[in-house]
Amino acid sequence: MGDRLAWIEDALRELHEKNLYVTIRTITSPQGPWLEVDGRRVLNFCSNNYLGLANDVRLVQAAKEACERFGAGPAAVRTIAGTIALHNELEARLARFKEAEAALVFQSGFCANLGAIPALVGTGDAIFSDELNHASIIDGCRLSRADIVRYPHNDPAALRSLLSERRSHYQRALLVTDGVFSMDGDIAPLPELVALADEFDCMIMVDDAHGEGVLGEGGRGIVHHFGLQGRVDIEIGTMSKAFGVVGGYVAGKAVIIEWLRQRARPFLFSSAMTPADTAACLAAISILEESTELVNKLWKNTYYFKDQMQLLGFDIGKSTTPITPLMLKDEMLTQRFSQRLFEEGVFATAISYPTVPLGKARIRFMLSAAHEREHMDEALTIIARVGRELGAIR
Ligand SMILES: *Cc1c(COP(=O)(O)O)cnc(C)c1O
Protein backbone atom coordinates (compact mmCIF):
# COMPACT_ATOMS: atom_id res chain seq x y z
CA MET A 1 0.00 0.00 0.00
CA GLY A 2 2.61 2.51 1.12
CA ASP A 3 4.94 1.46 -1.69
CA ARG A 4 2.66 2.07 -4.58
CA LEU A 5 2.06 5.65 -3.42
CA ALA A 6 5.72 6.37 -2.67
CA TRP A 7 6.10 8.08 -6.04
CA ILE A 8 3.75 10.82 -4.86
CA GLU A 9 5.89 11.51 -1.79
CA ASP A 10 8.92 11.75 -4.09
CA ALA A 11 7.15 14.04 -6.53
CA LEU A 12 5.95 16.32 -3.70
CA ARG A 13 9.44 16.47 -2.19
CA GLU A 14 10.84 17.43 -5.57
CA LEU A 15 8.33 20.28 -5.83
CA HIS A 16 9.45 21.59 -2.45
CA GLU A 17 13.12 21.31 -3.38
CA LYS A 18 12.60 23.25 -6.61
CA ASN A 19 10.50 25.97 -4.95
CA LEU A 20 7.57 24.93 -7.12
CA TYR A 21 5.28 23.79 -4.35
CA VAL A 22 2.01 25.75 -4.30
CA THR A 23 1.00 26.96 -0.84
CA ILE A 24 -2.73 27.55 -0.48
CA ARG A 25 -3.76 30.26 1.93
CA THR A 26 -7.10 30.42 3.72
CA ILE A 27 -9.31 33.51 3.68
CA THR A 28 -11.64 34.32 6.55
CA SER A 29 -13.17 37.60 5.32
CA PRO A 30 -15.18 38.77 2.29
CA GLN A 31 -13.24 39.80 -0.85
CA GLY A 32 -12.33 43.47 -0.77
CA PRO A 33 -9.25 45.72 -0.85
CA TRP A 34 -8.29 44.12 2.46
CA LEU A 35 -8.44 40.43 3.22
CA GLU A 36 -8.01 38.42 6.35
CA VAL A 37 -5.69 35.59 5.33
CA ASP A 38 -4.17 32.97 7.63
CA GLY A 39 -5.06 35.21 10.57
CA ARG A 40 -3.38 38.29 9.10
CA ARG A 41 -4.92 41.45 7.60
CA VAL A 42 -3.38 42.08 4.18
CA LEU A 43 -3.94 44.27 1.13
CA ASN A 44 -5.47 42.17 -1.61
CA PHE A 45 -3.68 42.24 -4.96
CA CYS A 46 -4.38 38.76 -6.19
CA SER A 47 -8.05 38.13 -6.73
CA ASN A 48 -9.84 38.44 -10.07
CA ASN A 49 -12.49 40.63 -8.45
CA TYR A 50 -11.84 43.35 -11.05
CA LEU A 51 -14.90 45.44 -10.25
CA GLY A 52 -15.23 44.76 -6.55
CA LEU A 53 -18.54 42.96 -7.13
CA ALA A 54 -17.69 39.82 -5.13
CA ASN A 55 -18.88 41.46 -1.92
CA ASP A 56 -21.32 43.99 -3.38
CA VAL A 57 -24.48 44.31 -1.27
CA ARG A 58 -26.69 44.22 -4.38
CA LEU A 59 -25.29 40.83 -5.42
CA VAL A 60 -25.52 39.46 -1.89
CA GLN A 61 -29.13 40.64 -1.59
CA ALA A 62 -30.09 39.11 -4.96
CA ALA A 63 -28.51 35.80 -3.91
CA LYS A 64 -30.44 35.78 -0.63
CA GLU A 65 -33.76 36.47 -2.34
CA ALA A 66 -33.16 33.75 -4.95
CA CYS A 67 -32.31 31.27 -2.21
CA GLU A 68 -35.56 32.05 -0.44
CA ARG A 69 -37.62 31.78 -3.61
CA PHE A 70 -35.92 28.84 -5.41
CA GLY A 71 -34.02 27.06 -2.62
CA ALA A 72 -30.38 26.15 -2.27
CA GLY A 73 -29.69 23.89 -5.26
CA PRO A 74 -30.97 23.10 -8.77
CA ALA A 75 -31.57 19.39 -7.90
CA ALA A 76 -30.90 17.98 -11.38
CA VAL A 77 -29.00 18.52 -14.59
CA ARG A 78 -30.67 21.15 -16.71
CA THR A 79 -32.03 18.77 -19.36
CA ILE A 80 -33.79 16.61 -16.75
CA ALA A 81 -35.37 19.02 -14.27
CA GLY A 82 -32.70 21.54 -13.34
CA THR A 83 -33.41 24.56 -15.54
CA ILE A 84 -34.93 27.27 -13.40
CA ALA A 85 -36.39 30.50 -14.73
CA LEU A 86 -33.32 32.36 -13.50
CA HIS A 87 -31.02 30.36 -15.81
CA ASN A 88 -33.08 31.33 -18.85
CA GLU A 89 -33.20 34.93 -17.74
CA LEU A 90 -29.42 35.00 -17.22
CA GLU A 91 -28.86 33.59 -20.73
CA ALA A 92 -31.07 36.21 -22.31
CA ARG A 93 -29.38 39.01 -20.36
CA LEU A 94 -25.87 37.73 -21.16
CA ALA A 95 -26.67 37.55 -24.88
CA ARG A 96 -27.92 41.14 -24.78
CA PHE A 97 -24.94 42.35 -22.76
CA LYS A 98 -22.45 40.69 -25.13
CA GLU A 99 -24.45 41.72 -28.22
CA ALA A 100 -24.55 38.07 -29.29
CA GLU A 101 -27.49 36.12 -30.72
CA ALA A 102 -27.73 33.71 -27.80
CA ALA A 103 -25.94 32.38 -24.72
CA LEU A 104 -25.75 29.18 -22.69
CA VAL A 105 -24.72 29.04 -19.05
CA PHE A 106 -22.31 26.44 -17.63
CA GLN A 107 -21.05 25.76 -14.09
CA SER A 108 -17.75 27.52 -14.78
CA GLY A 109 -15.62 28.95 -17.53
CA PHE A 110 -13.55 25.77 -17.40
CA CYS A 111 -16.70 23.71 -18.05
CA ALA A 112 -17.75 26.04 -20.87
CA ASN A 113 -14.50 25.28 -22.72
CA LEU A 114 -14.75 21.55 -22.01
CA GLY A 115 -18.32 21.62 -23.29
CA ALA A 116 -17.98 23.80 -26.35
CA ILE A 117 -14.80 22.62 -28.08
CA PRO A 118 -15.55 18.88 -28.34
CA ALA A 119 -19.06 19.70 -29.56
CA LEU A 120 -17.66 21.66 -32.49
CA VAL A 121 -14.72 19.59 -33.75
CA GLY A 122 -13.68 15.94 -33.58
CA THR A 123 -11.62 13.27 -35.33
CA GLY A 124 -10.62 14.45 -38.81
CA ASP A 125 -10.85 18.12 -37.85
CA ALA A 126 -8.20 20.61 -36.77
CA ILE A 127 -7.85 23.17 -34.02
CA PHE A 128 -5.46 26.08 -34.47
CA SER A 129 -4.62 27.14 -30.93
CA ASP A 130 -2.39 29.89 -29.50
CA GLU A 131 0.54 28.28 -27.65
CA LEU A 132 -0.28 30.25 -24.48
CA ASN A 133 -3.99 29.43 -24.32
CA HIS A 134 -5.53 28.70 -20.92
CA ALA A 135 -5.47 25.17 -19.49
CA SER A 136 -9.23 24.77 -19.94
CA ILE A 137 -8.91 25.47 -23.68
CA ILE A 138 -6.06 22.98 -23.92
CA ASP A 139 -8.10 20.33 -22.11
CA GLY A 140 -11.16 21.04 -24.27
CA CYS A 141 -8.99 20.62 -27.37
CA ARG A 142 -7.58 17.32 -26.12
CA LEU A 143 -11.03 15.97 -25.30
CA SER A 144 -12.25 16.73 -28.81
CA ARG A 145 -9.80 14.30 -30.49
CA ALA A 146 -9.22 16.82 -33.26
CA ASP A 147 -5.62 17.43 -34.37
CA ILE A 148 -4.17 20.37 -32.45
CA VAL A 149 -1.94 22.81 -34.33
CA ARG A 150 -0.29 25.21 -31.88
CA TYR A 151 0.74 28.55 -33.32
CA PRO A 152 3.31 30.98 -31.86
CA HIS A 153 1.77 33.35 -29.34
CA ASN A 154 -0.16 36.27 -30.88
CA ASP A 155 1.55 35.79 -34.24
CA PRO A 156 -0.96 36.06 -37.12
CA ALA A 157 1.80 35.78 -39.76
CA ALA A 158 2.98 32.44 -38.37
CA LEU A 159 -0.63 31.32 -38.05
CA ARG A 160 -1.25 32.21 -41.68
CA SER A 161 1.55 29.97 -42.90
CA LEU A 162 0.31 27.10 -40.72
CA LEU A 163 -3.20 27.58 -42.11
CA SER A 164 -1.89 27.64 -45.71
CA GLU A 165 0.01 24.44 -45.07
CA ARG A 166 -2.46 22.44 -42.97
CA ARG A 167 -6.02 23.73 -43.29
CA SER A 168 -6.86 21.81 -46.49
CA HIS A 169 -6.00 18.46 -44.85
CA TYR A 170 -9.01 18.70 -42.60
CA GLN A 171 -12.77 18.93 -42.80
CA ARG A 172 -13.78 21.44 -40.15
CA ALA A 173 -11.36 23.75 -38.37
CA LEU A 174 -11.56 25.85 -35.23
CA LEU A 175 -9.33 28.80 -34.46
CA VAL A 176 -9.17 29.43 -30.71
CA THR A 177 -7.49 32.05 -28.55
CA ASP A 178 -7.60 33.63 -25.13
CA GLY A 179 -8.82 37.22 -25.37
CA VAL A 180 -6.61 38.53 -22.58
CA PHE A 181 -3.71 36.24 -21.65
CA SER A 182 -3.95 35.83 -17.91
CA MET A 183 -0.26 35.52 -17.04
CA ASP A 184 1.15 38.34 -19.21
CA GLY A 185 -1.91 40.58 -19.52
CA ASP A 186 -1.53 41.05 -23.28
CA ILE A 187 -4.45 41.00 -25.72
CA ALA A 188 -5.05 38.73 -28.74
CA PRO A 189 -4.88 40.46 -32.17
CA LEU A 190 -8.51 39.60 -32.75
CA PRO A 191 -9.15 41.59 -35.97
CA GLU A 192 -6.29 39.74 -37.73
CA LEU A 193 -7.47 36.40 -36.37
CA VAL A 194 -11.05 37.04 -37.52
CA ALA A 195 -9.78 37.87 -41.02
CA LEU A 196 -7.76 34.65 -41.12
CA ALA A 197 -10.76 32.63 -39.94
CA ASP A 198 -12.83 34.10 -42.77
CA GLU A 199 -10.14 33.50 -45.36
CA PHE A 200 -9.42 29.90 -44.34
CA ASP A 201 -12.98 28.87 -43.46
CA CYS A 202 -12.41 28.27 -39.75
CA MET A 203 -14.87 28.66 -36.92
CA ILE A 204 -13.42 31.22 -34.52
CA MET A 205 -13.65 31.19 -30.75
CA VAL A 206 -12.31 33.61 -28.13
CA ASP A 207 -12.14 33.03 -24.38
CA ASP A 208 -12.92 36.39 -22.81
CA ALA A 209 -12.49 35.37 -19.15
CA HIS A 210 -10.18 38.29 -18.29
CA GLY A 211 -11.77 40.66 -20.82
CA GLU A 212 -15.35 40.96 -19.73
CA GLY A 213 -16.01 43.60 -17.17
CA VAL A 214 -12.62 45.01 -18.21
CA LEU A 215 -12.38 45.67 -21.98
CA GLY A 216 -14.90 47.31 -24.29
CA GLU A 217 -17.57 49.84 -23.49
CA GLY A 218 -18.92 49.19 -20.00
CA GLY A 219 -16.92 45.95 -19.83
CA ARG A 220 -18.64 44.20 -22.75
CA GLY A 221 -15.41 42.40 -23.55
CA ILE A 222 -12.81 41.97 -26.27
CA VAL A 223 -15.22 41.56 -29.17
CA HIS A 224 -16.79 44.90 -28.34
CA HIS A 225 -13.33 46.41 -27.71
CA PHE A 226 -12.42 45.72 -31.35
CA GLY A 227 -15.92 46.41 -32.75
CA LEU A 228 -16.18 42.83 -34.04
CA GLN A 229 -19.76 42.09 -32.98
CA GLY A 230 -21.23 39.31 -35.15
CA ARG A 231 -17.83 38.30 -36.57
CA VAL A 232 -16.74 35.88 -33.81
CA ASP A 233 -18.66 32.59 -33.74
CA ILE A 234 -18.11 31.59 -30.12
CA GLU A 235 -17.26 33.62 -27.04
CA ILE A 236 -16.45 31.88 -23.78
CA GLY A 237 -17.12 33.81 -20.61
CA THR A 238 -16.74 33.38 -16.91
CA MET A 239 -18.71 34.94 -14.11
CA SER A 240 -16.02 34.14 -11.54
CA LYS A 241 -13.79 37.10 -12.36
CA ALA A 242 -15.16 40.62 -12.97
CA PHE A 243 -18.72 39.45 -12.31
CA GLY A 244 -17.61 38.47 -8.82
CA VAL A 245 -19.62 35.25 -8.55
CA VAL A 246 -19.02 31.87 -10.23
CA GLY A 247 -20.22 30.25 -13.43
CA GLY A 248 -19.38 30.21 -17.12
CA TYR A 249 -21.09 30.71 -20.42
CA VAL A 250 -20.88 30.46 -24.16
CA ALA A 251 -22.24 33.35 -26.22
CA GLY A 252 -22.53 33.33 -29.99
CA LYS A 253 -24.61 32.40 -33.00
CA ALA A 254 -28.03 30.96 -32.09
CA VAL A 255 -27.40 27.78 -34.08
CA ILE A 256 -24.26 27.05 -32.07
CA ILE A 257 -26.06 27.57 -28.77
CA GLU A 258 -28.87 25.27 -29.92
CA TRP A 259 -26.26 22.61 -30.83
CA LEU A 260 -24.49 22.94 -27.46
CA ARG A 261 -27.78 22.34 -25.65
CA GLN A 262 -27.84 18.96 -27.45
CA ARG A 263 -24.16 18.04 -27.28
CA ALA A 264 -22.11 19.86 -24.62
CA ARG A 265 -21.31 17.21 -22.04
CA PRO A 266 -20.88 19.37 -18.90
CA PHE A 267 -24.28 20.88 -19.74
CA LEU A 268 -25.90 17.47 -20.21
CA PHE A 269 -24.22 15.52 -17.41
CA SER A 270 -23.53 17.95 -14.58
CA SER A 271 -25.95 20.03 -12.53
CA ALA A 272 -26.33 23.72 -13.12
CA MET A 273 -25.39 26.87 -11.25
CA THR A 274 -27.31 27.38 -8.01
CA PRO A 275 -30.21 29.86 -7.82
CA ALA A 276 -28.14 32.13 -5.57
CA ASP A 277 -25.18 32.23 -7.99
CA THR A 278 -27.46 32.82 -10.95
CA ALA A 279 -29.32 35.69 -9.31
CA ALA A 280 -26.07 37.31 -8.19
CA CYS A 281 -24.80 37.17 -11.80
CA LEU A 282 -28.00 38.83 -12.98
CA ALA A 283 -27.44 41.61 -10.45
CA ALA A 284 -23.86 42.04 -11.73
CA ILE A 285 -25.09 42.49 -15.31
CA SER A 286 -27.61 45.10 -14.15
CA ILE A 287 -24.85 47.05 -12.42
CA LEU A 288 -22.67 46.95 -15.55
CA GLU A 289 -25.55 48.01 -17.79
CA GLU A 290 -26.49 50.91 -15.53
CA SER A 291 -23.09 52.60 -15.36
CA THR A 292 -19.50 52.46 -16.58
CA GLU A 293 -18.26 53.89 -13.27
CA LEU A 294 -16.65 50.69 -11.94
CA VAL A 295 -14.94 49.86 -15.23
CA ASN A 296 -13.57 53.41 -15.45
CA LYS A 297 -12.27 53.23 -11.90
CA LEU A 298 -10.58 49.90 -12.61
CA TRP A 299 -8.67 51.47 -15.52
CA LYS A 300 -7.77 54.59 -13.56
CA ASN A 301 -6.31 52.39 -10.81
CA THR A 302 -4.51 50.26 -13.40
CA TYR A 303 -2.77 53.23 -15.04
CA TYR A 304 -1.78 54.68 -11.68
CA PHE A 305 -0.36 51.46 -10.28
CA LYS A 306 1.58 50.56 -13.44
CA ASP A 307 3.08 54.05 -13.70
CA GLN A 308 4.24 53.93 -10.11
CA MET A 309 5.73 50.44 -10.49
CA GLN A 310 7.72 51.59 -13.51
CA LEU A 311 8.90 54.70 -11.71
CA LEU A 312 10.23 52.46 -8.96
CA GLY A 313 12.28 50.67 -11.60
CA PHE A 314 10.43 47.36 -11.80
CA ASP A 315 10.03 45.33 -14.99
CA ILE A 316 6.26 44.88 -15.39
CA GLY A 317 6.30 43.09 -18.73
CA LYS A 318 4.09 44.01 -21.67
CA SER A 319 0.62 43.90 -20.16
CA THR A 320 -2.00 46.27 -21.53
CA THR A 321 -4.66 45.27 -19.00
CA PRO A 322 -5.12 45.42 -15.19
CA ILE A 323 -3.04 42.23 -14.90
CA THR A 324 0.36 43.53 -13.74
CA PRO A 325 3.19 40.98 -13.66
CA LEU A 326 6.30 41.92 -11.72
CA MET A 327 8.85 39.99 -13.75
CA LEU A 328 11.49 38.56 -11.41
CA LYS A 329 12.36 35.54 -13.60
CA ASP A 330 14.06 33.51 -10.85
CA GLU A 331 11.72 31.04 -9.09
CA MET A 332 13.45 31.28 -5.71
CA LEU A 333 13.52 35.08 -5.67
CA THR A 334 9.86 35.18 -6.71
CA GLN A 335 8.76 32.89 -3.88
CA ARG A 336 10.83 34.84 -1.39
CA PHE A 337 9.52 38.20 -2.65
CA SER A 338 5.90 37.09 -2.40
CA GLN A 339 6.50 35.68 1.09
CA ARG A 340 8.11 38.93 2.27
CA LEU A 341 5.26 40.98 0.81
CA PHE A 342 2.79 38.84 2.71
CA GLU A 343 4.68 39.31 5.96
CA GLU A 344 4.65 43.07 5.35
CA GLY A 345 0.90 43.05 4.56
CA VAL A 346 0.55 42.73 0.78
CA PHE A 347 -1.04 39.61 -0.68
CA ALA A 348 0.14 38.99 -4.26
CA THR A 349 0.76 35.53 -5.59
CA ALA A 350 4.02 34.15 -6.94
CA ILE A 351 3.48 32.48 -10.28
CA SER A 352 6.07 30.07 -11.55
CA TYR A 353 6.54 26.83 -13.46
CA PRO A 354 4.42 25.04 -14.69
CA THR A 355 1.93 27.92 -14.91
CA VAL A 356 4.58 29.93 -16.79
CA PRO A 357 7.81 28.58 -18.36
CA LEU A 358 10.89 28.00 -16.17
CA GLY A 359 12.91 31.21 -15.78
CA LYS A 360 9.83 33.39 -16.28
CA ALA A 361 8.60 33.50 -12.71
CA ARG A 362 6.71 36.59 -11.62
CA ILE A 363 4.46 38.06 -8.98
CA ARG A 364 1.10 38.95 -10.44
CA PHE A 365 -0.64 42.05 -9.11
CA MET A 366 -4.32 42.26 -9.92
CA LEU A 367 -5.90 45.69 -9.84
CA SER A 368 -9.52 46.24 -8.89
CA ALA A 369 -12.10 48.99 -8.71
CA ALA A 370 -12.27 48.01 -5.04
CA HIS A 371 -8.87 49.69 -4.50
CA GLU A 372 -8.61 53.32 -3.42
CA ARG A 373 -5.49 55.41 -3.95
CA GLU A 374 -4.43 54.88 -0.32
CA HIS A 375 -4.50 51.08 -0.74
CA MET A 376 -2.26 51.28 -3.79
CA ASP A 377 0.12 53.76 -2.15
CA GLU A 378 0.49 51.63 0.95
CA ALA A 379 1.17 48.56 -1.19
CA LEU A 380 3.66 50.43 -3.40
CA THR A 381 5.65 51.55 -0.36
CA ILE A 382 5.90 47.96 0.84
CA ILE A 383 6.72 46.59 -2.64
CA ALA A 384 9.55 49.15 -2.99
CA ARG A 385 10.92 48.28 0.44
CA VAL A 386 10.92 44.53 -0.26
CA GLY A 387 12.33 45.14 -3.75
CA ARG A 388 15.34 46.97 -2.29
CA GLU A 389 15.78 44.44 0.50
CA LEU A 390 15.98 41.58 -2.02
CA GLY A 391 18.07 43.51 -4.56
CA ALA A 392 15.40 43.58 -7.27
CA ILE A 393 15.63 47.38 -7.52
CA ARG A 394 18.12 49.93 -6.25
C1 LIG B 1 -10.09 31.85 -15.34
C2 LIG B 1 -10.19 31.35 -16.70
C3 LIG B 1 -11.06 30.30 -17.03
C4 LIG B 1 -11.81 29.53 -15.98
O1 LIG B 1 -12.90 30.23 -15.49
P1 LIG B 1 -13.69 29.62 -14.25
O2 LIG B 1 -15.03 30.22 -14.36
O3 LIG B 1 -12.96 30.04 -13.01
O4 LIG B 1 -13.71 28.14 -14.42
C5 LIG B 1 -11.18 29.94 -18.35
N1 LIG B 1 -10.47 30.56 -19.32
C6 LIG B 1 -9.62 31.57 -19.05
C7 LIG B 1 -8.88 32.23 -20.14
C8 LIG B 1 -9.44 31.99 -17.73
O5 LIG B 1 -8.60 32.97 -17.46
Side-chain angles (χ1 to χ4, degrees):
M1 171 76 184
D3 270 350
R4 60 175 191 253
L5 300 183
W7 69 272
I8 303 181
E9 305 278 351
D10 294 343
L12 286 169
R13 194 170 322 108
E14 194 182 328
L15 288 180
H16 279 293
E17 281 163 13
K18 291 186 172 161
N19 286 299
L20 299 175
Y21 188 85
V22 178
T23 310
I24 302 174
R25 298 190 185 277
T26 303
I27 297 166
T28 44
S29 67
Q31 288 282 343
W34 290 95
L35 285 179
E36 195 182 286
V37 186
D38 294 346
R40 194 186 286 265
R41 192 163 169 273
V42 288
L43 283 160
N44 175 13
F45 281 87
C46 51
S47 62
N48 298 319
N49 184 23
Y50 286 115
L51 302 175
L53 293 175
N55 189 35
D56 187 288
V57 288
R58 294 163 288 187
L59 272 67
V60 174
Q61 188 57 32
K64 279 188 191 160
E65 284 168 13
C67 230
E68 270 157 25
R69 174 145 179 243
F70 290 97
V77 301
R78 289 187 58 190
T79 47
I80 307 279
T83 296
I84 52 175
L86 287 172
H87 292 134
N88 296 337
E89 192 185 336
L90 179 57
E91 287 166 351
R93 294 284 303 280
L94 281 169
R96 192 176 80 189
F97 181 68
K98 301 292 283 189
E99 298 177 26
E101 285 179 18
L104 185 65
V105 168
F106 288 76
Q107 302 83 352
S108 69
F110 204 109
C111 284
N113 274 319
L114 294 193
I117 300 171
L120 295 168
V121 282
T123 309
D125 300 330
I127 300 170
F128 293 85
S129 174
D130 188 290
E131 64 180 347
L132 294 188
N133 276 343
H134 188 261
S136 57
I137 298 179
I138 295 171
D139 287 6
C141 292
R142 287 178 179 154
L143 275 176
S144 77
R145 298 170 195 236
D147 280 4
I148 300 162
V149 182
R150 281 160 39 115
Y151 64 86
H153 176 54
N154 278 355
D155 188 343
L159 171 60
R160 159 178 280 283
S161 55
L162 285 167
L163 284 164
S164 311
E165 207 178 295
R166 309 276 306 265
R167 172 65 187 97
S168 61
H169 302 178
Y170 298 96
Q171 289 208 323
R172 290 197 293 272
L174 175 69
L175 170 51
V176 58
T177 184
D178 269 22
V180 174
F181 288 82
S182 55
M183 293 303 141
D184 292 298
D186 53 339
I187 301 181
L190 204 56
E192 288 90 334
L193 300 182
V194 164
L196 286 171
D198 288 347
E199 184 181 340
F200 288 91
D201 188 28
C202 300
M203 295 176 281
I204 178 163
M205 167 168 161
V206 62
D207 182 338
D208 204 20
H210 283 277
E212 59 219 344
V214 177
L215 296 176
E217 189 205 326
R220 279 170 178 73
I222 190 169
V223 170
H224 200 281
H225 170 79
F226 284 116
L228 292 168
Q229 295 93 318
R231 307 272 315 274
V232 173
D233 301 306
I234 309 113
E235 278 183 79
I236 300 294
T238 173
M239 292 170 283
S240 69
K241 290 178 175 135
F243 281 52
V245 194
V246 74
Y249 66 89
V250 180
K253 301 276 160 58
V255 67
I256 291 176
I257 300 305
E258 191 183 346
W259 178 240
L260 293 181
R261 280 186 209 278
Q262 306 300 316
R263 279 293 179 274
R265 292 169 68 84
F267 178 78
L268 295 169
F269 298 107
S270 179
S271 295
M273 291 170 71
T274 68
D277 293 333
T278 314
C281 290
L282 278 162
I285 297 177
S286 297
I287 292 167
L288 282 166
E289 283 181 341
E290 271 160 28
S291 155
T292 58
E293 189 189 323
L294 290 175
V295 180
N296 296 344
K297 187 170 173 202
L298 167 67
W299 280 99
K300 198 169 150 228
N301 287 350
T302 298
Y303 292 130
Y304 178 74
F305 187 82
K306 281 182 195 283
D307 280 350
Q308 297 301 313
M309 286 291 278
Q310 269 168 332
L311 285 174
L312 287 169
F314 287 116
D315 174 3
I316 55 167
K318 51 187 165 29
S319 169
T320 53
T321 60
I323 296 167
T324 307
L326 165 53
M327 308 301 286
L328 294 166
K329 302 185 176 77
D330 180 75
E331 280 74 32
M332 179 95 108
L333 171 64
T334 304
Q335 291 276 0
R336 181 89 193 102
F337 204 118
S338 168
Q339 177 62 31
R340 285 291 298 126
L341 286 179
F342 189 76
E343 288 162 7
E344 298 290 319
V346 175
F347 189 21
T349 320
I351 295 179
S352 55
Y353 182 82
T355 309
V356 293
L358 274 172
K360 294 208 170 164
R362 79 258 338 242
I363 295 173
R364 191 177 63 164
F365 293 90
M366 303 296 284
L367 276 298
S368 168
H371 292 127
E372 301 299 337
R373 175 69 72 89
E374 76 229 36
H375 301 126
M376 294 185 284
D377 284 342
E378 191 170 339
L380 286 159
T381 305
I382 294 169
I383 297 164
R385 191 160 71 228
V386 171
R388 283 186 206 104
E389 174 191 309
L390 298 179
I393 50 167
R394 274 180 291 163

